[in-house]
Amino acid sequence: MRKYVVIYRSVIMENLQYALNIAMGFITYFMIIFVMIQLWNTIYDTPDNLIAGYSRIQMIWYVMLTETIWFGTRTATVTRQVTSDIKAGNIACLMNKPYHYPLYILTKYTGEWSIALPIYALLAAIAGILMVGGLPGFRPLTFFAAVPSFLLGVTIHGVFKLCISLFSFWIEDSNPFQWIYDKVILVIGTLFPAEIFPAAIQPFLKLTPIYTVCYGPAKLLVDFSMDKYLEILAAQILYLGLGVSLMFLLYRKGAKKLYVNGG
């Protein structure tokens, strides 16, 4: 465990040197949020109108929160680095290091978003208050209650992206599958909440990572309820367990295939 703490600290120190570059990425975030604010201002006929149970301000804040998760966790570590290590054959050397490769990658990923996500969250909070005002009914206790859900959500996101990358043991390039995963998460879980889709498919959305990565944490902040809180946490713990199990299975099978082929 100690070696992963050392890796985490080194990644933190490295990324702190590029904090300004990370903050500059907020320009793209701001442009997207500005467009979404204009869109929802046009869709909502009156300020008191509700769409899928969300007020205008709640809907805008929902998009801002999910986009914060999206931008704050963007990293090539769990995608291009893993794919490159496998395709280039570097994985054969990395397997012999005194750490477990998937855990090493997840530790690096965690160190990277530990810097980027708070920066985006702070800037997003300032921009949101200035552009649309505060979130109605928001209480500091709600924020602290939602923090575990946010941590679980970004971890699940990294685990599943790493699982997709590990398919590079068997296929030429896993990037097309990363693209599909990203676009599904972006459209269904990030830009639009689950309630806005037809009622017939909403139960199926709860069975996908969409429910646990972006929707769940943002939902708890904009419309907190204890029943929803327990439901989302239970789903996240289940998905994290399934994701980690799949990650270890894929890595073990991939490593075995590599050894058999003389890698």
Side-chain angles (χ1 to χ4, degrees):
M1 186 64 184
R2 185 176 180 181
K3 53 181 171 288
Y4 297 109
V5 174
V6 173
I7 294 171
Y8 177 77
R9 287 177 178 174
S10 65
V11 174
I12 289 286
M13 295 303 296
E14 179 182 351
N15 280 266
L16 280 174
Q17 300 179 31
Y18 302 101
L20 182 60
N21 290 342
I22 296 172
M24 291 299 292
F26 187 76
I27 296 174
T28 303
Y29 171 96
F30 180 81
M31 292 172 62
I32 294 175
I33 292 302
F34 181 80
V35 172
M36 295 302 298
I37 288 175
Q38 305 311 311
L39 172 65
W40 288 115
N41 283 339
T42 302
I43 293 175
Y44 278 85
D45 297 330
T46 62
D48 297 330
N49 190 25
L50 294 179
I51 297 178
Y54 292 80
S55 67
R56 180 183 65 87
I57 294 180
Q58 282 180 318
M59 187 67 78
I60 292 173
W61 271 103
Y62 173 88
V63 176
M64 293 186 67
L65 289 168
T66 54
E67 287 288 348
T68 298
I69 297 174
W70 179 263
F71 276 86
T73 58
R74 290 190 306 173
T75 169
T77 298
V78 290
T79 53
R80 290 194 294 270
Q81 179 178 337
V82 176
T83 301
S84 176
D85 286 342
I86 295 174
K87 290 174 63 177
N90 297 333
I91 190 71
C93 297
L94 294 172
M95 285 178 174
N96 297 318
K97 298 290 185 180
Y99 50 68
H100 197 276
Y101 180 75
L103 295 181
Y104 162 71
I105 292 295
L106 284 180
T107 303
K108 285 192 62 179
Y109 164 76
T110 303
E112 289 168 350
W113 69 250
S114 293
I115 299 298
L117 189 57
I119 291 174
Y120 275 98
L122 176 60
L123 295 175
I126 295 172
I129 292 173
L130 292 177
M131 290 191 294
V132 298
L135 185 61
F138 175 78
R139 295 176 298 172
L141 185 61
T142 302
F143 170 79
F144 290 110
V147 166
S149 180
F150 273 85
L151 297 178
L152 286 170
V154 298
T155 303
I156 293 169
H157 183 57
V159 167
F160 275 92
K161 288 184 74 67
L162 176 53
C163 287
I164 295 173
S165 296
L166 289 174
F167 278 109
S168 296
F169 277 116
W170 294 274
I171 59 179
E172 179 75 19
D173 188 5
S174 64
N175 287 329
F177 299 99
Q178 295 282 3
W179 186 88
I180 294 172
Y181 171 84
D182 286 342
K183 294 304 175 284
V184 171
I185 292 288
L186 179 63
V187 174
I188 300 179
T190 304
L191 296 179
F192 305 101
E195 291 88 350
I196 210 167
F197 294 92
I201 69 171
Q202 289 183 25
F204 296 99
L205 296 180
K206 293 183 179 181
L207 301 176
T208 67
I210 296 166
Y211 187 74
T212 59
V213 172
C214 292
Y215 166 81
K219 175 68 174 179
L220 292 178
L221 278 184
V222 301
D223 187 20
F224 183 87
S225 71
M226 184 56 65
D227 291 340
K228 180 64 70 173
Y229 180 63
L230 296 176
E231 177 184 311
I232 291 172
L233 281 183
Q236 288 180 318
I237 292 172
L238 176 61
Y239 249 99
L240 181 61
L242 292 174
V244 170
S245 299
L246 178 62
M247 177 187 73
F248 285 133
L249 176 64
L250 291 172
Y251 179 73
R252 185 169 65 253
K253 294 290 187 180
K256 183 179 180 181
K257 177 178 181 293
L258 192 65
Y259 288 135
V260 169
N261 291 326

